[in-house]
Amino acid sequence: MADEATGGFQIHPMDQFIVKPLFGGDHIAWYTVTNVTLWMALAVVAIAALLIYGTRRRAIVPSRSQSVAEMIYGFIYNMVEDVTGHEGVKYFPYVMTLFLFILLSNLLGLLPMAFTTTSHVAVTVVLALLVFLGVTILGFIKNGVGFLGMFWVSSAPLAIRPVLAIIEVISYFVRPVSHSIRLAGNMMAGHAVVKVIAGFASMAIVSPVVIGAVSALYGLELLVAVVQAYVFTILTCVYLRDAVGGAHH
Amino acid sequence: MATDAQGAAGEAVGMPQLDFSTWPNQIFWLAVTLVAIYMILTRVALPRIGAVLAERRGTISNDLAAAEELKLKAVEAEAAYNEALATARAEAAKIVAQAKAEIDAELAKATAKADAEIDAKAAVSEARIAEIRAGALESVTEVAKDTARELVAALGSKADARSVTAAVNARLKG
């Protein structure tokens, strides 16, 4: 995409998000191998490299890569256990899948010329809907109709309970929206801003400032990449607690 | 590649995220990816890491238990050592006391023997002194007799030995 910036002072900050077929052609069918496929596959490879190749020695005293894998495992395991309780631990692999996919997609997206899969609403909406539908179905399976008691705030005075119930229902259905837009918006905005500022590097006068600014923004984006993966995961745990831990907040 | 990108850019005016024609493609590949990651995690990675962590925990608690056991053994060994030390000390004290008693007994015996010897010697000496004294008394009688005879002779009278002796004896008795 660098060739586009050469034609004078043109910045295309959104071009990096374009989905395009890897092996030529214009039409994108649901099965077409695209840059989405490539970067998701790279995320899978990175996860396998870290969690399988990195732990191949099964050492009592871990190597560096095994330590990283164990730290991620312990971090997410403790998060699931702390937030959802013992009942939630059996959904740990699912939460771990979400966390690792988002973390690795965010981080791989920061490589130059990379495509950030998590900056697409299509991807994050599916992730958020998986959580939303999963939690809702699980809540009804576990608690039956009693799951609806979550919306009936029994600690509030009787008179305002119906109002609170409406607010609770609305907030419940807004969850997947905020859950998905937060992640996609953060990733997209960060990458777009970096691209816009980097575009100014073609002006020789400001280019030193631009390079410094892009470096600083890159560090910020690294932080955002990790924090957003964390936020998505902990919100998943919080939502899961509603289903697993019953109606009590 | 570049022309493709330009063409795609032309189609997706504004945000490529809202180009819904790419959604089925992304959702399909996302599903594949998530299933792949889930399989990797549940089949290999998570059981392995969990096993390693459990094994480590087991090793650490085993080591701690072993350390505790060794500590107990060390305490036991120290107690045994102290006991042995006390026994040895008592034994030594006993030996010292015994030796002292033996020496005392020997000393008393030697003292008694020396006393007896001294007594015997003193008795012998006394006897001898008595003898010497008796001898001296006799000598005095002899000398007195001789002197008396000589005196008598010097005075010009002839005295027989018997009368002189009788006279001296009478004198001496007196």
Side-chain angles (χ1 to χ4, degrees):
Chain A
M1 263 173 240
D3 52 340
E4 286 158 27
T6 53
F9 191 67
Q10 277 183 322
I11 302 169
H12 299 289
M14 303 311 277
D15 281 4
Q16 58 177 321
F17 302 120
I18 293 168
V19 177
K20 46 182 182 284
L22 268 189
F23 304 112
D26 265 341
H27 181 65
I28 298 173
W30 59 270
Y31 52 83
T32 311
V33 177
T34 56
N35 47 359
V36 177
T37 319
L38 172 67
W39 288 97
M40 283 186 181
L42 285 177
V44 173
V45 168
I47 290 168
L50 181 61
L51 292 193
I52 296 180
Y53 185 71
T55 62
R56 69 196 178 283
R57 272 189 254 268
R58 297 176 176 82
I60 292 292
V61 179
S63 61
R64 268 178 259 179
S65 57
Q66 193 184 328
S67 261
V68 173
E70 283 173 8
M71 271 166 63
I72 295 174
Y73 180 99
F75 179 66
I76 300 301
Y77 190 92
N78 288 337
M79 187 198 288
V80 173
E81 197 175 31
D82 290 348
V83 177
T84 65
H86 278 294
E87 278 291 298
V89 168
K90 55 173 176 277
Y91 308 106
F92 162 62
Y94 180 69
V95 177
M96 188 81 165
T97 304
L98 288 180
F99 176 74
L100 284 174
F101 172 72
I102 296 169
L103 181 70
L104 268 300
S105 297
N106 289 356
L107 291 177
L108 286 174
L110 283 174
L111 295 174
M113 311 299 289
F115 175 82
T116 317
T117 51
T118 40
S119 68
H120 272 264
V121 184
V123 171
T124 59
V125 157
V126 170
L127 293 175
L129 277 180
L130 281 175
V131 173
F132 178 76
L133 294 177
V135 164
T136 307
I137 293 168
L138 197 68
F140 277 113
I141 290 174
K142 286 219 147 210
N143 307 313
V145 188
F147 185 59
L148 291 175
M150 199 178 82
F151 304 117
W152 196 250
V153 187
S154 53
S155 56
L158 189 63
I160 61 169
R161 273 187 214 172
V163 183
L164 282 178
I166 293 168
I167 294 170
E168 286 281 327
V169 170
I170 292 171
S171 82
Y172 188 79
F173 282 95
V174 167
R175 275 178 181 183
V177 180
S178 63
H179 207 185
S180 56
I181 300 295
R182 180 184 300 111
L183 177 58
N186 266 291
M187 299 321 294
M188 187 184 74
H191 285 77
V193 167
V194 170
K195 189 85 175 189
V196 168
I197 293 183
F200 284 104
S202 57
M203 293 169 71
I205 304 165
V206 291
S207 62
V209 181
V210 167
I211 290 167
V214 169
S215 303
L217 267 178
Y218 192 86
L220 182 70
E221 282 306 302
L222 272 177
L223 182 72
V224 169
V226 177
V227 166
Q228 286 305 316
Y230 171 73
V231 166
F232 194 97
T233 313
I234 200 159
L235 280 176
T236 303
C237 290
V238 169
Y239 298 160
L240 196 59
R241 183 181 56 186
D242 288 338
V244 173
H248 52 81
H249 287 257
Chain B
M1 243 356 240
T3 49
D4 284 344
Q6 298 287 4
E11 282 169 32
V13 185
M15 286 173 64
Q17 279 86 353
L18 298 180
D19 176 9
F20 290 98
S21 66
T22 66
W23 278 45
N25 181 271
Q26 294 193 57
I27 291 169
F28 168 68
W29 289 114
L30 174 65
V32 171
T33 305
L34 288 181
V35 169
I37 296 174
Y38 188 79
M39 287 298 164
I40 288 173
L41 290 185
T42 52
R43 294 288 153 87
V44 189
L46 297 185
R48 183 190 288 178
I49 297 174
V52 167
L53 291 179
E55 196 184 332
R56 182 171 312 144
R57 217 171 296 133
T59 308
I60 288 171
S61 56
N62 277 351
D63 285 0
L64 282 180
E68 194 68 24
E69 206 172 295
L70 287 177
K71 198 177 157 195
L72 280 180
K73 265 188 194 159
V75 169
E76 229 164 72
E78 202 194 343
Y81 166 77
N82 280 339
E83 201 186 307
L85 200 66
T87 312
R89 213 168 262 161
E91 195 80 8
K94 213 160 80 184
I95 289 168
V96 166
Q98 202 179 331
K100 205 173 175 189
E102 260 166 38
I103 289 167
D104 279 351
E106 216 147 280
L107 201 63
K109 214 157 80 186
T111 310
K113 199 171 154 198
D115 280 351
E117 253 166 44
I118 290 165
D119 283 352
K121 275 204 180 141
V124 169
S125 305
E126 239 156 68
R128 188 122 171 80
I129 288 166
E131 203 173 287
I132 289 168
R133 191 174 287 151
L137 209 58
E138 214 163 278
S139 300
V140 167
T141 316
E142 205 80 4
V143 168
K145 277 175 192 169
D146 283 353
T147 311
R149 202 182 303 137
E150 288 301 311
L151 274 174
V152 172
L155 288 174
S157 74
K158 186 114 159 110
D160 61 318
R162 202 176 293 161
S163 56
V164 171
T165 304
V168 169
N169 278 349
R171 256 321 200 198
L172 276 174
K173 270 175 193 159

